[in-house]
Amino acid sequence: MEKIRVKGGKELKGKVQVSSAKNSVLPIIASCILSDENIIINNLPLLEDVYVICEVLNQLGCSVNINKNSKELIINSSNINPINVNNDLIKKMRASFLIMGPMLSRFGKCKISLPGGCNIGSRPIDLHLKGFKALGVDYSIGHGFVEAKTKRLIGNRIYLDFPSVGATENLMMAAVLAKGTTIIENAAEEPEIIDLANFLNSMGAKINGAGNGKIIIEGVDSLVGTKHTPIGDRIEAGTFMIAAAMTNSKIEILGCNEEYLRPVIEKLKEAGVIFKFSENGEKILIDGTGKKNSISIKTMPYPGFPTDMQSQMMALCTIIEGASVITETVFENRFMHVPELLRMGANIKIDQRTALIEGVPKITGCEVKATDLRAGAAMILAGLVAYGETEITDIYHIDRGYFNIEEKLKSLGAEIERI
C-alpha cells in the first residue's frame, strides 16, 4: 500500500506549474461522444479520474489514445456502441455519469448505474433527470440503474433548483444536438462551465451565456472534431497558495487565471498573505512570510468560496493564532478530515455544518489518512508544518485530483516522498 511521507519544517521557494483542471477535463472527455471525428485534448492531467473516464469511453467502443510524454489525448467516437456501458467504472467515479447527456443527445438512449465517488455528502442526480425530462426524456430508476430514452431531444426552458455543476454540464451536452432552443436558468457559473462551453462551441455548438447563470443553447445538427487545451486547475493552484502561507514561504504559481481564484485569494489576503500578479494574470507570486490572522469562511457555489478549498483552508487555520470559523453549505459530510487534524494536535470543534478552529502553536506529525480527495491535500499541507514526520494513507484519493503533488512540492523544497 502506497503512502505519502512528509517531514515538516521546510521553507518552500521556486516556481510550480499547475496542471489542467480535472473538473474541466472530465466533462470535456465525456462530450467527445457527441462527435464522430477526431478530438485532441492537450496538456492532459494524468490523473486516476481521467484514466477512469477514458476507460469508460474505451469500453463503449471509442478509440482513446493517451500519449503520456506529450500529455495529448486523441478520441474518436465513430465506432461507439451505445449499449455497452461498464457500470463498475460508473460506480467508481461520479463524473462518469456525465456520459448520459451526450449519449441521449447522440443516440436517444442510455442505461447507466447510479454514480459513485468521494463520500463527502449527498449529490443527488434529481436535477439532471428533471432537466432531461424537460428535454423530452422518459426515464426509470430501479436496481441501482437509470434507464432513459427519447425519440428526439427538444429544446426547452430548464430552471435548476440549485446551481449544480454536474447537472449544468450534463444538460449543456444534451442540448447541443437537441431540436430548437434550450435555456438553462440558475445554471452553475464555475470557470469549468465556461471552459466546457468554449470547447463545445469549437466543435460547432451554439452556446451563449456560460458563466452568467443563464445559458442559451441553439441546437445544431452535428458537431465536428477540434483541438482544445483546458484551463488550469484553480483548486491545485489554491492548494499551493495555502502551502506557501502555512510554511511562511514565497513561491510563484504558473498556469492559472487569477480571476478564477479570486474568492481564495481574497480570503488569504484577509489572513495576511501578500500577492502579486503578472499582466496576463497567469503568473502569481505568493508571499506567505507575514503574520497570519484568523478568518471566517462560508463555502458557496461559484463565485463564492469553493467547497473544494475548505479542507485545505482549515489546515491553515489550525496554526493561525486566534479563532477561525468555517461553515460548509455545499456538502453535509465534508468535515471528515477533522478527526485526522485532531490526531495531529489541532483544536477544532464541530457544530453541525460549522467548524470553530482555535489556532495552536504547533501540530505534530503522525499517521493520518486521506478520507477524500481534498482532505488528502489538507493532510499533506498539515504535514508540511507539523513537528516530525507525517504519513498519509489512502492516497488513491489524492491521485484522483493531483498529478505528482509530492514531486511538485519536492521541487519547491519540501521533504516529501511516496513510499
Side-chain angles (χ1 to χ4, degrees):
M1 182 176 66
E2 286 190 324
K3 302 178 183 180
I4 289 178
R5 178 187 291 158
V6 191
K7 187 172 182 179
K10 299 293 183 179
E11 181 183 347
L12 306 182
K13 58 183 176 180
K15 301 178 181 180
V16 62
Q17 177 79 39
V18 300
S19 303
S20 292
K22 173 183 87 97
N23 291 337
S24 267
V25 170
L26 298 180
I28 285 171
I29 292 173
S31 65
C32 293
I33 292 170
L34 292 163
S35 173
D36 60 4
E37 298 183 12
N38 276 2
I39 294 170
I40 299 173
I41 300 169
N42 298 310
N43 197 29
L44 185 75
L46 303 176
L47 303 168
E48 182 60 29
D49 277 10
V50 170
Y51 291 128
V52 169
I53 199 162
C54 283
E55 185 58 24
V56 170
L57 266 62
N58 181 58
Q59 295 202 14
L60 282 168
C62 302
S63 170
V64 180
N65 293 293
I66 299 175
N67 186 320
K68 293 184 179 180
N69 293 323
S70 64
K71 296 182 180 178
E72 181 183 78
L73 171 64
I74 303 175
I75 295 178
N76 186 293
S77 301
S78 56
N79 293 321
I80 189 171
N81 177 355
I83 305 300
N84 189 30
V85 178
N86 185 317
N87 287 292
D88 288 336
L89 290 170
I90 302 297
K91 287 183 231 180
K92 188 174 180 180
M93 186 185 70
R94 181 176 180 80
S96 302
F97 193 73
L98 291 173
I99 70 168
M100 193 166 201
M103 295 287 278
L104 287 169
S105 192
R106 184 169 169 189
F107 299 107
K109 60 184 177 181
C110 185
K111 182 180 179 181
I112 190 170
S113 97
L114 294 171
C118 277
N119 186 28
I120 56 174
S122 175
R123 292 183 283 180
I125 58 168
D126 57 325
L127 296 179
H128 302 242
L129 298 177
K130 174 186 173 183
F132 289 146
K133 185 174 182 180
L135 296 175
V137 174
D138 293 319
Y139 67 86
S140 60
I141 301 175
H143 305 289
F145 288 87
V146 179
E147 188 165 9
K149 59 183 179 180
T150 181
K151 290 183 179 178
R152 174 77 193 270
L153 293 177
I154 305 296
N156 202 349
R157 183 180 292 268
I158 301 167
Y159 178 83
L160 297 178
D161 296 330
F162 178 83
S164 161
V165 174
T168 300
E169 292 167 341
N170 232 343
L171 295 172
M172 284 170 62
M173 292 185 286
V176 290
L177 296 179
K179 182 180 180 181
T181 302
T182 299
I183 300 173
I184 306 173
E185 296 182 292
N186 198 31
E189 300 179 21
E190 273 74 2
E192 294 79 15
I193 299 293
I194 300 171
D195 200 23
L196 176 61
N198 289 340
F199 172 74
L200 291 169
N201 284 341
S202 75
M203 295 171 70
K206 295 181 179 179
I207 303 172
N208 290 292
N212 294 318
K214 182 178 180 180
I215 302 175
I216 302 172
I217 305 162
E218 298 286 344
V220 297
D221 292 332
S222 62
L223 297 178
V224 299
T226 190
K227 291 183 180 181
H228 185 75
T229 301
I231 61 173
D233 194 321
R234 62 194 171 101
I235 306 303
E236 182 186 6
T239 302
F240 283 114
M241 289 178 180
I242 293 176
M246 292 183 70
T247 59
N248 297 315
S249 302
K250 293 181 180 180
I251 67 169
E252 200 171 276
I253 297 174
L254 309 175
C256 193
N257 188 331
E258 65 158 295
E259 287 304 313
Y260 296 161
L261 280 154
R262 186 55 51 188
V264 176
I265 288 169
E266 292 305 317
K267 279 297 170 186
L268 286 173
K269 282 183 176 179
E270 280 184 38
V273 181
I274 297 171
F275 290 86
K276 291 182 181 178
F277 309 100
S278 63
E279 286 188 12
N280 64 6
E282 293 201 352
K283 184 164 68 174
I284 306 171
L285 179 66
I286 301 99
D287 182 349
T289 59
K291 184 180 183 298
K292 309 302 187 301
N293 311 304
S294 58
I295 50 176
S296 293
I297 293 168
K298 185 177 186 179
T299 64
M300 298 286 285
Y302 191 87
F305 190 89
T307 181
D308 278 354
M309 286 300 304
Q310 178 259 107
S311 307
Q312 302 92 306
M313 194 64 86
M314 188 181 291
L316 170 62
C317 291
T318 63
I319 59 168
I320 294 177
E321 184 179 349
S324 297
V325 179
I326 296 178
T327 302
E328 172 62 56
T329 73
V330 180
F331 293 122
E332 73 275 9
N333 197 25
R334 202 155 203 180
F335 284 152
M336 291 192 296
H337 51 283
V338 170
E340 306 306 306
L341 289 171
L342 292 175
R343 285 171 55 80
M344 301 179 75
N347 184 356
I348 306 168
K349 293 180 175 62
I350 302 294
D351 182 8
Q352 296 182 17
R353 290 197 177 195
T354 298
L356 174 65
I357 307 105
E358 290 278 358
V360 296
K362 72 172 184 178
I363 54 177
T364 304
C366 63
E367 184 171 295
V368 293
K369 65 181 178 180
T371 53
D372 60 70
L373 166 54
R374 305 306 174 185
M379 293 304 104
I380 291 176
L381 293 174
L384 292 175
V385 297
Y387 178 78
E389 287 189 350
T390 302
E391 283 194 357
I392 304 152
T393 65
D394 293 2
I395 61 172
Y396 60 89
H397 285 299
I398 299 171
D399 293 337
R400 290 185 48 237
Y402 292 92
F403 175 65
N404 271 357
I405 188 170
E406 72 278 7
E407 294 301 322
K408 290 183 179 182
L409 285 168
K410 189 181 292 184
S411 74
L412 294 172
E415 192 168 336
I416 180 172
E417 62 180 345
R418 183 179 293 248
I419 56 173

